[in-house]
C-alpha cells in the first residue's frame, strides 16, 4: 500500500463524520495484508520485551496503575520506522491535511504507539486531553486483531455528549477498523476482552496551549 493508491473516499467519510458528529468509525480502513504486517511488528516488539506498561496522568505525574489501565505500549519513532509504519504515516498525513483543510484544526503532528491489552485488561473511562492542555485534538485508533468476534469482548465504548442517541456506542476492535473522534469531547473506555487485544493508537496534536 502506498499513499498514492489510498482511496480518498475513506478520508472524506472521516471528515464528514467529525464535522457532523465529532467521530467516525470506518471498517476496513486499511487492507488486510497491511494490517497483518503491522500486527506482526507489534507481536515482535512484545516478544522482544520492547513494550512497557502504560501509565496514567500527565508526564510529570504519570504513574503505573493496572487497575485503571492495563495495556502495554511502544511509541513509534519516524526515524526508526519500518516500511509498513512509513506507509501508515503517509496515509495519516493525508488525513491530517484534510482535517486542517476542511475543519481548520491547526494540527501539526501525529504521535502513535502500539498497544497490547492482555486478556482481561481494561482502560477505565477517560478523556484523551489532559486538564489545562488542549494539544491533543483528534484521537485515532486502528485495530489490528484478526478474526475478532463479538464474544471476544474488548469493545471501545464511546460515551456520547448528550446531543445524540444512543448514549454510548461500542466499537468492536476488528482488524482494519479505524475509530476517529475529538479528543476533548468524548469520554471513552476499553472493555475487558477474553483474548489479547491489539491496536495502533495515536493523536493529532496542535501546538502547545497551556490553560493552567
Amino acid at each position: 500500500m502506498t499513499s498514492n493508491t489510498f482511496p480518498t473516499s475513506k478520508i472524506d467519510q472521516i471528515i464528514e463524520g467529525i464535522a457532523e458528529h465529532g467521530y467516525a468509525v470506518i471498517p476496513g480502513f486499511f487492507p488486510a495484508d497491511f494490517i497483518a504486517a503491522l500486527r506482526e511488528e507489534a507481536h515482535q516488539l512484545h516478544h522482544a520485551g520492547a513494550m512497557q506498561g502504560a501509565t496514567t496522568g500527565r508526564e510529570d505525574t504519570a504513574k503505573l496503575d493496572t487497575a485503571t489501565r492495563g495495556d502495554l505500549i511502544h511509541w513509534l519513532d519516524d526515524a526508526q520506522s519500518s516500511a509498513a509504519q512509513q506507509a501508515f504515516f503517509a496515509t495519516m498525513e493525508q488525513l491530517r491535511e484534510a482535517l486542517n483543510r476542511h475543519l481548520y484544526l491547526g494540527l501539526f503532528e501525529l504521535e502513535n504507539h502500539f498497544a497490547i491489552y492482555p486478556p482481561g485488561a481494561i482502560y477505565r473511562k477517560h478523556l484523551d486531553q489532559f486538564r489545562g492542555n488542549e494539544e491533543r485534538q483528534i484521537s485515532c485508533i486502528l485495530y489490528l486483531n484478526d478474526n475478532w468476534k463479538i464474544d471476544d469482548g474488548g469493545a471501545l465504548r464511546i460515551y456520547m455528549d448528550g446531543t445524540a442517541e444512543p448514549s454510548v456506542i461500542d466499537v468492536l476492535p476488528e482488524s482494519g477498523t479505524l475509530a476517529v473522534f475529538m479528543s476533548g469531547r468524548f469520554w471513552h473506555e476499553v472493555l475487558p476482552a477474553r483474548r489479547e487485544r491489539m491496536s495502533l493508537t495515536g493523536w493529532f496534536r496542535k501546538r502547545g496551549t497551556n490553560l493552567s
Side-chain angles (χ1 to χ4, degrees):
M1 189 197 78
T2 67
S3 59
N4 292 332
T5 61
F6 187 81
T8 56
S9 61
K10 293 183 178 180
I11 289 181
D12 292 341
Q13 291 177 51
I14 292 175
I15 300 302
E16 292 173 6
I18 295 293
E20 294 181 12
H21 309 294
Y23 72 92
V25 178
I26 312 297
F29 188 81
F30 287 107
D33 58 343
F34 180 71
I35 294 297
L38 290 172
R39 181 167 59 244
E40 179 59 25
E41 290 184 10
H43 277 306
Q44 291 177 1
L45 289 166
H46 191 198
H47 293 157
M51 303 192 74
Q52 306 295 324
T55 58
T56 58
R58 299 172 65 136
E59 185 175 356
D60 55 347
T61 60
K63 63 179 180 178
L64 190 65
D65 179 3
T66 55
T68 298
R69 180 180 183 182
D71 56 325
L72 304 170
I73 65 171
H74 177 84
W75 290 95
L76 273 57
D77 182 350
D78 287 8
Q80 301 177 0
S81 58
S82 67
Q85 291 173 27
Q86 290 170 15
F88 171 78
F89 293 148
T91 298
M92 299 306 281
E93 176 63 12
Q94 291 184 55
L95 177 56
R96 184 191 71 84
E97 292 175 350
L99 287 164
N100 283 343
R101 184 166 59 252
H102 294 285
L103 303 180
Y104 310 103
L105 295 178
L107 308 173
F108 82 100
E109 73 171 5
L110 176 70
E111 55 182 3
N112 303 273
H113 64 57
F114 283 119
I116 293 180
Y117 286 78
I122 61 171
Y123 194 165
R124 295 193 184 278
K125 187 176 178 182
H126 64 283
L127 277 178
D128 280 348
Q129 275 186 4
F130 297 120
R131 182 176 299 176
N133 187 317
E134 293 184 342
E135 288 186 10
R136 289 180 174 177
Q137 290 288 298
I138 300 290
S139 301
C140 305
I141 309 172
L142 175 64
Y143 293 108
L144 310 178
N145 307 293
D146 193 27
N147 295 318
W148 198 269
K149 305 294 190 299
I150 292 177
D151 290 344
D152 292 329
L156 169 70
R157 175 162 291 175
I158 302 176
Y159 291 84
M160 299 295 98
D161 55 5
T163 62
E165 295 292 340
S167 59
V168 301
I169 61 169
D170 286 348
V171 180
L172 202 64
E174 296 176 305
S175 177
T177 293
L178 181 68
V180 183
F181 55 91
M182 298 181 69
S183 302
R185 177 172 168 182
F186 294 103
W187 290 81
H188 55 285
E189 65 177 318
V190 175
L191 303 180
R194 295 183 177 180
R195 50 179 282 204
E196 183 179 83
R197 178 189 187 277
M198 190 178 306
S199 65
L200 179 50
T201 300
W203 301 269
F204 284 113
R205 299 171 61 238
K206 68 178 183 180
R207 299 194 184 277
T209 303
N210 194 321
L211 303 180
S212 58

